[in-house]
Amino acid sequence: MNWDIVKGNWNQLKGKAREEWGELTHDDLDKMHGDYEQFVGKLQEKYGWNRDEAKRRADDWADKHAKTAE
């Protein structure tokens, strides 16, 4: 699963998450430590998306960036 790669490389990838979603603060990203459920929850909170939309966007982002982190 790509999210396992993302979580394992979180320190490298959290900057890319911040670029993609400017509403996520550095503190938000530091606290979640790459945890998928926390990431999805924060996307819902910050952007007002329903759970399915937040999961889709998180998964799309992980698919795109996990390959570069391997």
Side-chain angles (χ1 to χ4, degrees):
M1 175 185 201
N2 285 332
W3 201 262
D4 292 333
I5 296 167
V6 168
K7 188 172 184 174
N9 294 288
W10 186 244
N11 285 331
Q12 294 170 273
L13 293 173
K14 63 185 174 182
K16 294 197 182 291
R18 181 92 165 91
E19 288 173 13
E20 183 94 10
W21 296 293
E23 295 294 317
L24 296 177
T25 66
H26 291 290
D27 193 46
D28 291 336
L29 295 167
D30 286 342
K31 286 180 181 176
M32 66 181 68
H33 302 287
D35 181 82
Y36 179 74
E37 293 301 324
Q38 288 183 35
F39 190 77
V40 168
K42 230 11 132 168
L43 291 178
Q44 286 181 270
E45 176 187 322
K46 298 284 185 168
Y47 291 95
W49 297 326
N50 66 37
R51 185 148 185 83
D52 289 338
E53 180 67 12
K55 286 174 89 172
R56 184 187 65 76
R57 290 184 186 232
D59 291 341
D60 288 349
W61 179 83
D63 289 345
K64 182 168 65 172
H65 293 290
K67 292 170 181 63
T68 62
E70 289 184 293

